[in-house]
Amino acid sequence: TEKRKIFCSKCIQTVIKTCRKMGIQTVAVHSDVDSSAVHVKMADEAVCVGPAPTGKSYLNMDAIMDAIRSTGAQAVHPGYGFLSENKEFAQRLAAEGVMFVGPDTHAIQAMGDKIQSKLIAKAAGVNTIPGFDGVVKTAEEAVKIAQDIGYPVMIKASAGGGGKGMRIAWNDEETREGFRFSSQEAASSFGDDRLLIEKFIDNPRHIEIQVLADKHGSALWLNERECSIQRRNQKVVEEAPSTFLDPATRRAMGEQAVQLAKAVQYSSAGTVEFLVDSQKNFYFLEMNTRLQVEHPITECITGLDLVQQMIRIAKGYPLQHKQEDIPINGWAIESRVYAEDPYKSFGLPSIGRLSQYQEPLNLSNVRVDSGIQEGSDISIYYDPMISKLVTYGATRAEALAKMEDALDNYVIRGVTHNIPLLREIITHPRFISGDITTNFLPEVYPSGFHGHQLATDSRRELLASAAALYIAAQLRSQRFLCNLRVSTIPQERGKWELCVELGKDRHNVEVTRSGNTYTVEVDAGRVEVSGEWNLASPLLPLTINGTHRMLQCLSREASGEITVQYLGTSFKVRVLSKLAAELDSYMPEKIPEDTSSILRSPMPGTVVAVAVKAGDTVAEGQEICVIEAMKMQNSMTAAKTAKVKSVHCKPGETVGEGDLLVELE
C-alpha cells in the first residue's frame, strides 16, 4: 500500500523528491499566500491551513491535524522548522496513530529545552560550556548571573534555535537589553520566553556533528559540518568536512555526539552542535532534533540520503550502515542565498516578486534546494531564504571554484539578494586558507560590507566591459530583423570615443571593434573584450584579456546608465559619448537628503514598539522604536541628540523599506 505524507513546513522539496523515489505520495500544507508555492505544486495533494501569519497556519496544530484526517495521511515529515521540534505536535500525532518522521517525544522534550539538554549532556560525559543551569526570570537577575559568570556572556532562548532569541552581552546594560530582546523574540518565535545565560566563548568555531540513530539502540556519526560563517548567530556558508579538525578530534566529537543521542534514546537524524576553540577544545552547544537546513553537504560527502534514512527509521527499520562504512568523499560547500540586503548589517530582509529567476543547474556538481520559482513573492511573513546553493568537488579548491561559478551564473531579479556577500566570502584569502571563526564577518568587514573592492586591473576590466556593452547595444539597435535600419551611427564606423563614469570618477575611453571583439583603451591600459553579445540573455559570458568572466547586465537606460553584476557585486556605471559628457557638466547636482534628522525603516517589517513621542528629547544612540522582520527584532536608534518633531508609526503597523518612522528637529 502506498503511504501518503503531509508536510507541515515550507521549502521542503528535497523531502518530496525523496518520497517520490520511494513511491510515497505526498500532501503539502500551505498558508493562503503560499497557494502557488513550489512545494504545493510538487505534492500530490495540498491543503490550505490558514492565513499568512505562522500562528494561524504553519503553527496552527488544530488546522494541520484536520488536514491529516481529511487526507488520510499516515505519516508526517515536519521539515526544517515550525513544528519540527514541537513535542506537543508529536504527541498529538501519536494519539491519532500517525507516524512522526522524527525522534520520539521524550527526546524532543529533553533536547528542545536548552537548560535540560545541558544537564543531560553533562551526565552523558559531553563537554559543556560553563554557565547558569536554571531559568533566568528578570533582567536584574540576568545582570547578577552575568557578573558571576564573567563577561562576555551569551543570553539565549531555552526553546530557541536558528539564531533567534540570542544576544551577546559585554556589560550590564547590554545584558538588560539582551534579556528584553531575547525574551520577546523567543516568545514570538517559539511561544516560550524562558532564557538561560552561559559563558560566551570568544572567537570560536561552530562545528556540528550529524548523527543518525534507529529504534534498536544503534547510532552513527556522519562526520562534521563547519558552520562558522554567521551573521546575527545565523549560518551563511557551511562546508563539510571542516578544514580545522584532525581525525582524533573528529572522532572524539562524533563519539560524544553519539553518547548524547543514546542518552536520550534518540531515533532519527539529528545534529549535535559544538563550539570549538583555537586549541580544539570543544563544548556542547545544543542538539537539533530535526533535519538541518545544511544537511545536503553531509549527503554529498557520505552518499547517504538523510530523508530516506529518517523515513526508514520512523518505520522501525534498523540502520543499514556501520560506523566504519561512513566515508568522507570529497568536499561540499553550501551558500545560503537570501532575499536580503548584505550592505545593511550583513543582511536585512528584502521583499518583492522574483521577476526573473534562473538557477545555475547547467553546471556540473551543483545542487540547488529552493522553495521558489520565477514569479514567487518574498513576503515579510516567512524566512527570506531563496535557496541552498551546494557545490561538490573532489577537493576543497574544486568545490570553491565551482561555487564561484555557480554564484556568477545565478540569476535573481526583483529582490535584493546576498550573492555579493557570498561571493566575497568564498574568495577571501582568510576563508580559502581556512582561518575562520564565528567572528569572521565583523573582523573582515569591521565597517560593514561594501561589496567587491575594485583593484586597478578589475576596475579597468569593468570599465572596458561596460564600454563594449554600450557599443554592442548601439550596434544592435541599428538592426531590425537582421537588416540595417536608419541610424545616427554609420554602419562602417569601427572606433568610438566615450566617457565612462564609475562613482565620482570619469574615465576617457577609446573603443575599436573587430567582429565580436572590442579593444578598449582605458586608464593607460588596453583591454580586449570578446563574446557572443546576446543582450537578450540575463547572462553575459565574456572573455576579458583571455580570462573567462560571467557578467550580468541588470539594467540599461537610455541615459547611458548601465548596472552590471561583475565579480558578484552590482556596479552602476554611466557611458556617455564625448559630446554628451561635455554637456553633462552643465547639469545641476541633486542635493542628498539630510538623514540625521529622520529615521527611515531599513527593512520591511512590523513595528513592535515605539519608545518616544513628539516633544521628547532623545540622545544619540537612544532607542526610538523596534522593528520585527522575519521574527528578528531590530532596535532603531537616534543618529543625533535632538527633539522629536513627529512620530509616523505605531505598534502593530506594517512598514516598508525606506518608510519614514520618526522626524527629529
Side-chain angles (χ1 to χ4, degrees):
T1 302
E2 286 191 333
K3 286 186 180 288
R4 296 196 292 176
K5 247 179 233 303
I6 188 164
F7 297 97
C8 305
S9 182
K10 287 163 53 65
C11 306
I12 45 171
Q13 289 65 39
T14 52
V15 178
I16 297 178
K17 288 176 182 176
T18 295
C19 287
R20 281 180 178 172
K21 288 192 295 184
M22 298 176 73
I24 300 171
Q25 293 180 331
T26 56
V27 181
V29 294
H30 62 90
S31 67
D32 55 7
V33 298
D34 278 340
S35 59
S36 298
V38 174
H39 76 285
V40 174
K41 294 180 178 179
M42 286 181 65
D44 298 294
E45 297 178 55
V47 180
C48 181
V49 289
T54 55
K56 297 179 180 179
S57 53
Y58 294 107
L59 292 174
N60 186 345
M61 279 189 259
D62 290 338
I64 291 171
M65 294 304 297
D66 287 342
I68 293 170
R69 296 186 196 101
S70 67
T71 58
Q74 298 148 313
V76 170
H77 194 300
Y80 308 125
F82 295 122
L83 296 174
S84 60
E85 296 179 283
N86 189 296
K87 64 177 180 179
E88 182 187 345
F89 181 56
Q91 288 169 343
R92 291 184 65 170
L93 291 174
E96 295 272 347
V98 177
M99 185 174 75
F100 180 71
V101 184
D104 294 332
T105 55
H106 68 271
I108 296 175
Q109 179 174 356
M111 293 295 98
D113 186 312
K114 285 186 171 59
I115 297 168
Q116 186 180 356
S117 66
K118 189 174 178 181
L119 295 174
I120 293 171
K122 273 185 181 179
V126 179
N127 304 341
T128 58
I129 301 171
F132 179 69
D133 294 331
V135 177
V136 185
K137 297 178 181 177
T138 67
E140 292 310 312
E141 183 183 358
V143 169
K144 185 178 184 306
I145 292 168
Q147 291 172 344
D148 292 340
I149 295 172
Y151 288 110
V153 296
M154 172 72 83
I155 304 166
K156 58 185 181 181
S158 176
K164 296 179 176 67
M166 297 176 67
R167 289 291 191 280
I168 299 166
W170 295 80
N171 54 50
D172 292 355
E173 187 56 37
E174 289 184 6
T175 299
R176 291 186 183 93
E177 185 179 85
F179 180 89
R180 177 164 66 95
F181 281 126
S182 292
S183 59
Q184 289 172 355
E185 286 179 5
S188 172
S189 298
F190 315 111
D192 184 346
D193 63 357
R194 292 176 304 144
L195 301 177
L196 64 110
I197 298 180
E198 60 190 19
K199 181 71 176 176
F200 174 63
I201 308 298
D202 201 11
N203 289 317
R205 287 174 178 257
H206 185 137
I207 300 176
E208 60 190 29
I209 301 291
Q210 176 72 58
V211 295
L212 196 63
D214 62 22
K215 297 179 184 295
H216 306 281
S218 298
L220 303 171
W221 47 275
L222 308 183
N223 302 309
E224 79 279 3
R225 294 186 289 257
E226 172 83 65
C227 308
S228 297
I229 305 299
Q230 303 180 3
R231 50 97 178 93
R232 299 191 299 279
N233 299 309
Q234 291 181 308
K235 302 161 189 172
V236 179
V237 176
E238 301 105 339
E239 61 181 309
S242 169
T243 60
F244 189 61
L245 296 190
D246 54 61
T249 307
R250 176 179 295 116
R251 175 171 291 278
M253 293 176 70
E255 289 175 348
Q256 286 200 15
V258 166
Q259 286 169 213
L260 180 59
K262 289 184 175 181
V264 293
Q265 299 177 311
Y266 196 85
S267 60
S268 190
T271 300
V272 181
E273 301 190 355
F274 294 94
L275 290 181
V276 185
D277 68 18
S278 59
Q279 303 304 308
K280 296 183 181 174
N281 300 307
F282 57 90
Y283 305 94
F284 171 71
L285 188 60
E286 64 181 356
M287 183 176 189
N288 290 305
T289 58
R290 57 175 168 82
L291 189 66
Q292 289 282 86
V293 168
E294 60 271 19
H295 78 275
I297 55 176
T298 295
E299 294 183 337
C300 286
I301 67 167
T302 62
L304 296 178
D305 184 330
L306 294 185
V307 174
Q308 183 181 30
Q309 296 299 319
M310 291 177 75
I311 294 171
R312 293 186 78 262
I313 291 168
K315 183 61 178 172
Y317 291 110
L319 292 176
Q320 297 172 297
H321 304 87
K322 299 185 183 301
Q323 189 61 58
E324 56 267 24
D325 299 331
I326 307 303
I328 298 180
N329 289 329
W331 213 284
I333 298 171
E334 175 178 290
S335 293
R336 298 194 184 195
V337 181
Y338 282 102
E340 291 183 336
D341 186 344
Y343 302 100
K344 297 177 180 177
S345 301
F346 300 112
L348 291 183
S350 169
I351 62 172
R353 175 166 293 176
L354 289 163
S355 57
Q356 196 168 16
Y357 183 74
Q358 183 176 305
E359 296 172 348
L361 295 175
N362 57 306
L363 304 176
S364 61
N365 291 337
V366 172
R367 170 176 170 175
V368 184
D369 290 1
S370 65
I372 50 87
Q373 60 189 351
E374 193 164 289
S376 292
D377 287 312
I378 307 295
S379 73
I380 65 171
Y381 298 107
Y382 311 118
D383 190 279
M385 183 183 288
I386 292 174
S387 72
K388 301 176 295 181
L389 177 62
V390 180
T391 58
Y392 172 77
T395 63
R396 186 170 186 261
E398 189 179 315
L400 281 172
K402 186 66 70 174
M403 179 61 73
E404 190 175 336
D405 285 346
L407 290 169
D408 285 343
N409 280 268
Y410 208 144
V411 177
I412 303 173
R413 307 277 197 276
V415 297
T416 306
H417 54 76
N418 68 332
I419 282 179
L421 175 62
L422 295 173
R423 196 184 189 284
E424 286 300 295
I425 290 171
I426 62 119
T427 57
H428 194 280
R430 267 190 62 179
F431 185 85
I432 293 172
S433 69
D435 178 19
I436 59 175
T437 69
T438 55
N439 290 327
F440 177 87
L441 289 179
E443 286 176 356
V444 172
Y445 309 106
S447 60
F449 179 68
H450 302 291
H452 182 77
Q453 301 303 297
L454 294 169
T456 301
D457 288 344
S458 56
R459 180 181 291 103
R460 198 179 282 135
E461 280 190 11
L462 174 60
L463 295 170
S465 300
L469 177 60
Y470 174 83
I471 297 301
Q474 292 286 317
L475 294 175
R476 179 173 179 257
S477 69
Q478 296 179 47
R479 295 189 172 272
F480 180 73
L481 294 179
C482 301
N483 294 313
L484 282 176
R485 56 195 282 189
V486 176
S487 174
T488 56
I489 304 176
Q491 178 188 355
E492 66 277 2
R493 185 174 179 184
K495 184 176 181 180
W496 296 264
E497 289 185 348
L498 304 173
C499 176
V500 183
E501 294 180 355
L502 176 63
K504 296 181 179 179
D505 297 327
R506 281 191 168 188
H507 306 262
N508 292 319
V509 171
E510 188 176 283
V511 183
T512 55
R513 171 177 173 257
S514 175
N516 284 334
T517 299
Y518 294 86
T519 302
V520 184
E521 302 281 348
V522 55
D523 291 350
R526 173 177 290 189
V527 181
E528 282 198 354
V529 185
S530 61
E532 292 301 316
W533 303 104
N534 180 4
L535 303 187
S537 171
L539 297 172
L540 191 63
L542 299 176
T543 300
I544 306 175
N545 281 347
T547 302
H548 175 73
R549 300 281 192 204
M550 182 61 75
L551 278 67
Q552 296 186 35
C553 181
L554 305 181
S555 67
R556 284 186 293 114
E557 306 294 338
S559 62
E561 290 185 359
I562 302 174
T563 303
V564 177
Q565 184 172 306
Y566 168 71
L567 301 179
T569 296
S570 296
F571 293 94
K572 288 187 176 181
V573 298
R574 189 161 69 135
V575 185
L576 302 172
S577 66
K578 191 173 182 181
L579 175 60
E582 292 172 358
L583 296 175
D584 186 66
S585 62
Y586 297 102
M587 298 294 289
E589 288 189 20
K590 183 179 178 181
I591 300 173
E593 183 180 45
D594 178 13
T595 56
S596 66
S597 298
I598 58 173
L599 178 65
R600 295 187 181 276
S601 178
M603 79 215 96
T606 303
V607 179
V608 175
V610 178
V612 299
K613 62 182 183 299
D616 288 353
T617 299
V618 294
E620 181 180 350
Q622 180 179 331
E623 181 178 289
I624 289 180
C625 63
V626 177
I627 306 293
E628 182 178 287
M630 280 76 171
K631 297 185 180 179
M632 295 293 286
Q633 296 198 356
N634 303 273
S635 177
M636 304 291 105
T637 59
K640 65 179 182 180
T641 300
K643 195 173 185 179
V644 177
K645 181 179 179 181
S646 58
V647 177
H648 298 270
C649 62
K650 58 184 178 182
E653 279 188 345
T654 299
V655 294
E657 181 180 354
D659 283 1
L660 182 62
L661 301 174
V662 173
E663 286 185 274
L664 304 177
E665 292 184 353

PDB file of all heavy atoms in Angstrom, residues 352-358 373-377 411-415:
ATOM      1  N   GLY A 352       9.663  41.319  -2.197  1.00  0.00           N
ATOM      2  CA  GLY A 352       9.351  41.643  -3.583  1.00  0.00           C
ATOM      3  C   GLY A 352       8.990  40.390  -4.361  1.00  0.00           C
ATOM      4  O   GLY A 352       8.898  39.298  -3.809  1.00  0.00           O
ATOM      5  N   ARG A 353       8.806  40.567  -5.647  1.00  0.00           N
ATOM      6  CA  ARG A 353       8.460  39.455  -6.533  1.00  0.00           C
ATOM      7  C   ARG A 353       9.650  39.140  -7.427  1.00  0.00           C
ATOM      8  O   ARG A 353      10.296  40.034  -7.969  1.00  0.00           O
ATOM      9  CB  ARG A 353       7.238  39.809  -7.378  1.00  0.00           C
ATOM     10  CG  ARG A 353       6.869  38.754  -8.416  1.00  0.00           C
ATOM     11  CD  ARG A 353       5.483  38.991  -8.966  1.00  0.00           C
ATOM     12  NE  ARG A 353       4.462  38.778  -7.936  1.00  0.00           N
ATOM     13  CZ  ARG A 353       3.160  38.993  -8.122  1.00  0.00           C
ATOM     14  NH1 ARG A 353       2.726  39.436  -9.299  1.00  0.00           N
ATOM     15  NH2 ARG A 353       2.307  38.778  -7.151  1.00  0.00           N
ATOM     16  N   LEU A 354       9.932  37.855  -7.574  1.00  0.00           N
ATOM     17  CA  LEU A 354      11.037  37.429  -8.431  1.00  0.00           C
ATOM     18  C   LEU A 354      10.629  37.574  -9.893  1.00  0.00           C
ATOM     19  O   LEU A 354       9.946  36.716 -10.450  1.00  0.00           O
ATOM     20  CB  LEU A 354      11.406  35.978  -8.114  1.00  0.00           C
ATOM     21  CG  LEU A 354      12.095  35.772  -6.759  1.00  0.00           C
ATOM     22  CD1 LEU A 354      12.054  34.321  -6.353  1.00  0.00           C
ATOM     23  CD2 LEU A 354      13.526  36.267  -6.805  1.00  0.00           C
ATOM     24  N   SER A 355      11.026  38.676 -10.492  1.00  0.00           N
ATOM     25  CA  SER A 355      10.649  38.952 -11.882  1.00  0.00           C
ATOM     26  C   SER A 355      11.420  38.077 -12.857  1.00  0.00           C
ATOM     27  O   SER A 355      10.954  37.795 -13.957  1.00  0.00           O
ATOM     28  CB  SER A 355      10.875  40.428 -12.202  1.00  0.00           C
ATOM     29  OG  SER A 355      12.227  40.787 -11.962  1.00  0.00           O
ATOM     30  N   GLN A 356      12.601  37.646 -12.452  1.00  0.00           N
ATOM     31  CA  GLN A 356      13.398  36.727 -13.272  1.00  0.00           C
ATOM     32  C   GLN A 356      14.207  35.849 -12.325  1.00  0.00           C
ATOM     33  O   GLN A 356      14.794  36.329 -11.346  1.00  0.00           O
ATOM     34  CB  GLN A 356      14.317  37.505 -14.216  1.00  0.00           C
ATOM     35  CG  GLN A 356      14.888  36.674 -15.345  1.00  0.00           C
ATOM     36  CD  GLN A 356      15.552  37.530 -16.409  1.00  0.00           C
ATOM     37  OE1 GLN A 356      15.856  38.702 -16.186  1.00  0.00           O
ATOM     38  NE2 GLN A 356      15.790  36.971 -17.576  1.00  0.00           N
ATOM     39  N   TYR A 357      14.223  34.546 -12.607  1.00  0.00           N
ATOM     40  CA  TYR A 357      14.895  33.616 -11.696  1.00  0.00           C
ATOM     41  C   TYR A 357      15.429  32.432 -12.486  1.00  0.00           C
ATOM     42  O   TYR A 357      14.696  31.768 -13.211  1.00  0.00           O
ATOM     43  CB  TYR A 357      13.927  33.133 -10.621  1.00  0.00           C
ATOM     44  CG  TYR A 357      14.558  32.216  -9.592  1.00  0.00           C
ATOM     45  CD1 TYR A 357      15.407  32.725  -8.626  1.00  0.00           C
ATOM     46  CD2 TYR A 357      14.313  30.846  -9.603  1.00  0.00           C
ATOM     47  CE1 TYR A 357      15.999  31.891  -7.692  1.00  0.00           C
ATOM     48  CE2 TYR A 357      14.894  30.007  -8.675  1.00  0.00           C
ATOM     49  CZ  TYR A 357      15.740  30.530  -7.720  1.00  0.00           C
ATOM     50  OH  TYR A 357      16.327  29.705  -6.796  1.00  0.00           O
ATOM     51  N   GLN A 358      16.720  32.193 -12.363  1.00  0.00           N
ATOM     52  CA  GLN A 358      17.355  31.112 -13.114  1.00  0.00           C
ATOM     53  C   GLN A 358      18.465  30.504 -12.266  1.00  0.00           C
ATOM     54  O   GLN A 358      19.452  31.171 -11.938  1.00  0.00           O
ATOM     55  CB  GLN A 358      17.917  31.672 -14.429  1.00  0.00           C
ATOM     56  CG  GLN A 358      18.537  30.648 -15.359  1.00  0.00           C
ATOM     57  CD  GLN A 358      18.974  31.294 -16.657  1.00  0.00           C
ATOM     58  OE1 GLN A 358      18.188  31.945 -17.341  1.00  0.00           O
ATOM     59  NE2 GLN A 358      20.254  31.138 -17.005  1.00  0.00           N
ATOM     60  N   GLN A 373      10.205  30.040  -7.327  1.00  0.00           N
ATOM     61  CA  GLN A 373      10.365  29.982  -8.771  1.00  0.00           C
ATOM     62  C   GLN A 373      10.137  31.388  -9.312  1.00  0.00           C
ATOM     63  O   GLN A 373       9.770  32.305  -8.560  1.00  0.00           O
ATOM     64  CB  GLN A 373       9.348  29.012  -9.372  1.00  0.00           C
ATOM     65  CG  GLN A 373       7.902  29.402  -9.098  1.00  0.00           C
ATOM     66  CD  GLN A 373       6.914  28.327  -9.497  1.00  0.00           C
ATOM     67  OE1 GLN A 373       7.275  27.349 -10.121  1.00  0.00           O
ATOM     68  NE2 GLN A 373       5.656  28.514  -9.137  1.00  0.00           N
ATOM     69  N   GLU A 374      10.350  31.566 -10.600  1.00  0.00           N
ATOM     70  CA  GLU A 374      10.104  32.869 -11.208  1.00  0.00           C
ATOM     71  C   GLU A 374       8.643  33.268 -10.988  1.00  0.00           C
ATOM     72  O   GLU A 374       7.731  32.485 -11.244  1.00  0.00           O
ATOM     73  CB  GLU A 374      10.405  32.801 -12.705  1.00  0.00           C
ATOM     74  CG  GLU A 374      10.476  34.161 -13.377  1.00  0.00           C
ATOM     75  CD  GLU A 374      11.150  34.079 -14.743  1.00  0.00           C
ATOM     76  OE1 GLU A 374      12.377  33.875 -14.781  1.00  0.00           O
ATOM     77  OE2 GLU A 374      10.442  34.186 -15.761  1.00  0.00           O
ATOM     78  N   GLY A 375       8.427  34.470 -10.472  1.00  0.00           N
ATOM     79  CA  GLY A 375       7.081  34.933 -10.153  1.00  0.00           C
ATOM     80  C   GLY A 375       6.709  34.793  -8.702  1.00  0.00           C
ATOM     81  O   GLY A 375       5.694  35.343  -8.257  1.00  0.00           O
ATOM     82  N   SER A 376       7.526  34.069  -7.908  1.00  0.00           N
ATOM     83  CA  SER A 376       7.240  33.904  -6.484  1.00  0.00           C
ATOM     84  C   SER A 376       7.403  35.227  -5.744  1.00  0.00           C
ATOM     85  O   SER A 376       8.217  36.074  -6.119  1.00  0.00           O
ATOM     86  CB  SER A 376       8.174  32.868  -5.855  1.00  0.00           C
ATOM     87  OG  SER A 376       7.919  31.572  -6.341  1.00  0.00           O
ATOM     88  N   ASP A 377       6.618  35.375  -4.685  1.00  0.00           N
ATOM     89  CA  ASP A 377       6.712  36.562  -3.824  1.00  0.00           C
ATOM     90  C   ASP A 377       7.509  36.229  -2.577  1.00  0.00           C
ATOM     91  O   ASP A 377       7.296  35.190  -1.949  1.00  0.00           O
ATOM     92  CB  ASP A 377       5.319  37.047  -3.412  1.00  0.00           C
ATOM     93  CG  ASP A 377       4.574  37.715  -4.553  1.00  0.00           C
ATOM     94  OD1 ASP A 377       5.169  38.579  -5.215  1.00  0.00           O
ATOM     95  OD2 ASP A 377       3.396  37.361  -4.789  1.00  0.00           O
ATOM     96  N   VAL A 411      20.848  33.754 -11.533  1.00  0.00           N
ATOM     97  CA  VAL A 411      20.101  34.949 -11.945  1.00  0.00           C
ATOM     98  C   VAL A 411      18.932  35.170 -10.990  1.00  0.00           C
ATOM     99  O   VAL A 411      18.040  34.321 -10.878  1.00  0.00           O
ATOM    100  CB  VAL A 411      19.569  34.806 -13.387  1.00  0.00           C
ATOM    101  CG1 VAL A 411      18.731  36.024 -13.771  1.00  0.00           C
ATOM    102  CG2 VAL A 411      20.726  34.614 -14.359  1.00  0.00           C
ATOM    103  N   ILE A 412      18.938  36.298 -10.281  1.00  0.00           N
ATOM    104  CA  ILE A 412      17.858  36.659  -9.363  1.00  0.00           C
ATOM    105  C   ILE A 412      17.520  38.122  -9.602  1.00  0.00           C
ATOM    106  O   ILE A 412      18.359  39.007  -9.398  1.00  0.00           O
ATOM    107  CB  ILE A 412      18.264  36.464  -7.888  1.00  0.00           C
ATOM    108  CG1 ILE A 412      18.701  35.015  -7.632  1.00  0.00           C
ATOM    109  CG2 ILE A 412      17.107  36.831  -6.956  1.00  0.00           C
ATOM    110  CD1 ILE A 412      19.282  34.784  -6.246  1.00  0.00           C
ATOM    111  N   ARG A 413      16.296  38.386 -10.027  1.00  0.00           N
ATOM    112  CA  ARG A 413      15.849  39.760 -10.271  1.00  0.00           C
ATOM    113  C   ARG A 413      14.544  40.001  -9.499  1.00  0.00           C
ATOM    114  O   ARG A 413      13.734  39.100  -9.330  1.00  0.00           O
ATOM    115  CB  ARG A 413      15.574  39.990 -11.753  1.00  0.00           C
ATOM    116  CG  ARG A 413      16.700  39.628 -12.689  1.00  0.00           C
ATOM    117  CD  ARG A 413      17.739  40.739 -12.805  1.00  0.00           C
ATOM    118  NE  ARG A 413      18.563  40.525 -13.973  1.00  0.00           N
ATOM    119  CZ  ARG A 413      19.628  39.735 -14.016  1.00  0.00           C
ATOM    120  NH1 ARG A 413      19.988  39.078 -12.933  1.00  0.00           N
ATOM    121  NH2 ARG A 413      20.335  39.591 -15.122  1.00  0.00           N
ATOM    122  N   GLY A 414      14.367  41.213  -9.061  1.00  0.00           N
ATOM    123  CA  GLY A 414      13.123  41.597  -8.399  1.00  0.00           C
ATOM    124  C   GLY A 414      13.253  41.798  -6.909  1.00  0.00           C
ATOM    125  O   GLY A 414      12.445  42.498  -6.300  1.00  0.00           O
ATOM    126  N   VAL A 415      14.258  41.161  -6.295  1.00  0.00           N
ATOM    127  CA  VAL A 415      14.526  41.356  -4.866  1.00  0.00           C
ATOM    128  C   VAL A 415      16.025  41.566  -4.682  1.00  0.00           C
ATOM    129  O   VAL A 415      16.835  41.117  -5.506  1.00  0.00           O
ATOM    130  CB  VAL A 415      14.073  40.147  -4.007  1.00  0.00           C
ATOM    131  CG1 VAL A 415      12.572  39.944  -4.084  1.00  0.00           C
ATOM    132  CG2 VAL A 415      14.801  38.871  -4.417  1.00  0.00           C
TER     133      VAL A 415
END
